[in-house]
Amino acid sequence: MPKLLPTLMDHALNRTLGVYQGLEPRRPNALVIPRFVVISARIPSILAEVERHVEVDSLYRPLVLADERTWELAGEALFRELQAAGLRPRKELIRGNMYAQAARVIQAMSVPPRVWSDEEHPWERRLYGAKLTGVVFGVGGGTVVDLAKLISFQLHIPCISVPTSLANDGIASPFSVIRPDGPGNVTARANTPFGVVVDLGRILPRRPEDKPFFLTMMRSGIGDALSNLASTLDWQLAVRFEQEKMDYLAMLHARSAAEVVLQRILAGAALEDEELILTLAAGLVSSGEAMGRVGSSRPASGFEHKLYHAWQNILEYPSRATHGVLVGVGTLISLVAHEADWEPVREGMARVGLPVSRRDLEGWGIGWEPLREAIRVSARVKPERYTILEHLGVEAVLAAADRAFVAR
Ligand SMILES: [Zn+2]
């Protein structure tokens, strides 16, 4: 009921001032999983794909969000397409995942008088007033998509995710990793993308110099996908010992996403194989959907993600290891601690070039002692989330790390 007034205002203001025409469903924030997901080897027209699921009228004045690199890669082409269709698109380029970037775009897209819902956290507030755009296209990597999801959440309009890399499971999840003014990242509530369009042509490297970046992103995405093998075990542990609720469908979604990716790798797929990229894309979407179903990161985040937060956001260790690589490292440690079948996972990680020895870790800028320190500090991350770390204690997990990562 308290939402009735702002909702009426939303309709009234947008009828008279704004261009937002409403896009089914009318309450995009209530969406838990994307309405449509298109994963394909070749998509000549993104707009044509979107039009199959959404009436083109509801796409009027779309906002194309990208960064400098992804604008060149895919954003500009989409912008021109929207322009040619007479939809009068807008463009915003962002730099980094600072919250200020999102705030700037939100301000630029809202028209006074503004009506914000009174959510407690400033990041969770939502604009019910007029907007200059009706839908946000996030064209880019994890950062761009995360900002697009947050911007669409605050503007109270839908967002469509068009990833140009597959580095993590944020492409379809209801959360955004955002950097506040200070150092360290924070996970914020955001809109689940209304639609996801993954085109291999926008992900595969076009020039030889783009290849190292592509490989790093693929390794990251694989690490994040495989991490579901560990996080779902943690979840089951919490159900058994902490009376936590289990959503079996979400658990299976998250888990099978990791399993199919691992199977493809063990069957010999290389990082540039079309089938592996398509499988990874579907796996990451599936993982994001699982989080959307539960309304929490539980299906896809256990001890291995605590380790990442400890490393990145508490200890702030510099390293070239990405989110996915760090959670991959945590996954191996977790599986050993769980006494799960970890050898095939180690084999799979080794095949795609993820670290499986202390020497490999050094190559990614992950020192052995800092890693041990991060395991200790992990106990301070989300202590209410029961994982193998809370179950066995820090010493046992340190011992598991010793077993998981041999010297070379
Ligand atoms: Zn993750």
Side-chain angles (χ1 to χ4, degrees):
M1 260 311 140
K3 290 276 156 64
L4 185 63
L5 186 63
T7 307
L8 285 173
M9 290 285 280
D10 193 13
H11 283 280
L13 284 170
N14 277 305
R15 288 285 164 230
T16 51
L17 296 172
V19 294
Y20 172 58
Q21 315 244 315
L23 175 62
E24 287 289 297
R26 298 217 175 260
R27 294 174 58 222
N29 302 314
L31 255 189
V32 290
I33 58 168
R35 167 77 68 92
F36 64 93
V37 176
V38 186
I39 299 169
S40 170
R42 213 184 107 69
I43 299 180
S45 156
I46 290 192
L47 180 59
E49 285 302 330
V50 174
E51 272 184 307
R52 279 181 214 223
H53 306 275
V54 185
E55 271 185 46
V56 70
D57 287 352
S58 7
L59 295 173
Y60 192 59
R61 300 241 70 170
L63 169 66
V64 178
L65 194 77
D67 60 29
E68 230 162 81
R69 206 185 68 85
T70 63
W71 172 256
E72 204 185 298
L73 201 67
E76 194 176 1
L78 174 63
F79 186 88
R80 283 184 200 286
E81 224 190 312
L82 297 167
Q83 217 168 23
L87 295 169
R88 301 179 61 206
R90 295 173 187 278
K91 158 197 178 186
E92 288 285 343
L93 292 189
I94 52 122
R95 213 181 242 186
N97 68 337
M98 299 289 287
Y99 178 69
Q101 298 282 320
R104 176 180 59 78
V105 176
I106 291 159
Q107 285 302 324
M109 291 300 135
S110 58
V111 203
R114 303 186 177 104
V115 183
W116 296 92
S117 75
D118 48 353
E119 298 283 347
E120 262 173 44
H121 197 284
W123 299 6
E124 298 211 343
R125 62 185 197 165
R126 266 170 279 167
L127 177 69
Y128 285 91
K131 297 126 206 181
L132 294 175
T133 177
V135 57
V136 184
F137 282 87
V139 185
T143 304
V144 173
V145 172
D146 273 7
L147 280 177
K149 288 189 298 183
L150 186 72
I151 289 166
S152 91
F153 177 78
Q154 291 207 353
L155 285 178
H156 201 54
I157 57 175
C159 121
I160 292 169
S161 161
V162 185
T164 55
S165 61
L166 300 172
N168 62 57
D169 57 17
I171 51 177
S173 80
F175 302 104
S176 292
V177 178
I178 300 292
R179 188 168 282 256
D181 293 338
N185 291 324
V186 176
T187 304
R189 203 152 68 98
N191 268 0
T192 295
F194 181 82
V196 182
V197 185
V198 183
D199 172 25
L200 236 59
R202 290 169 171 82
I203 286 167
L204 279 163
R206 286 187 206 163
R207 303 166 302 188
E209 60 264 38
D210 295 334
K211 199 171 164 189
F213 178 78
F214 163 79
L215 294 177
T216 303
M217 292 298 107
M218 281 297 290
R219 289 177 181 124
S220 303
I222 290 168
D224 209 21
L226 293 181
S227 81
N228 292 359
L229 295 171
S231 61
T232 48
L233 286 181
D234 281 343
W235 194 6
Q236 285 171 311
L237 206 60
V239 170
R240 222 176 314 142
F241 292 95
E242 295 289 294
Q243 274 100 47
E244 226 181 86
K245 262 177 68 187
M246 169 61 72
D247 181 325
Y248 203 80
L249 178 62
M251 196 274 283
L252 211 63
H253 266 181
R255 195 167 180 84
S256 38
E259 278 167 359
V260 286
V261 170
L262 181 62
Q263 289 319 317
R264 284 242 177 263
I265 294 167
L266 293 179
L271 287 174
E272 279 164 302
D273 282 4
E274 207 169 88
E275 280 300 318
L276 177 62
I277 305 172
L278 293 172
T279 304
L280 179 62
L284 294 174
V285 169
S286 188
S287 183
E289 282 194 6
M291 290 189 263
R293 282 182 188 282
V294 180
S296 131
S297 59
R298 193 36 138 160
S301 166
F303 158 73
E304 74 298 326
H305 275 71
K306 292 189 184 201
L307 180 69
Y308 158 77
H309 284 290
W311 180 281
Q312 191 78 34
N313 300 326
I314 298 181
L315 295 164
E316 293 172 35
Y317 287 144
S319 85
R320 61 183 203 87
T322 58
H323 170 88
V325 171
L326 282 164
V327 299
V329 170
T331 297
L332 207 54
I333 297 170
S334 175
L335 292 176
V336 172
H338 272 285
E339 291 179 43
D341 187 15
W342 63 285
E343 289 288 352
V345 181
R346 184 185 191 277
E347 171 66 22
M349 285 173 63
R351 288 201 191 182
V352 296
L354 281 166
V356 294
S357 70
R358 290 182 207 178
R359 196 169 65 171
D360 294 346
L361 288 172
E362 291 287 346
W364 283 94
I366 305 171
W368 187 243
E369 268 318 307
L371 181 63
R372 288 173 59 87
E373 180 58 16
I375 292 172
R376 290 188 202 99
V377 169
S378 298
R380 280 162 41 199
V381 181
K382 259 196 190 184
E384 72 284 4
R385 178 161 291 182
Y386 196 75
T387 70
I388 194 70
L389 183 70
E390 287 69 27
H391 189 65
L392 298 178
V394 168
E395 287 308 316
V397 175
L398 285 170
D402 283 340
R403 282 179 60 209
F405 289 92
V406 290
R408 50 178 57 237

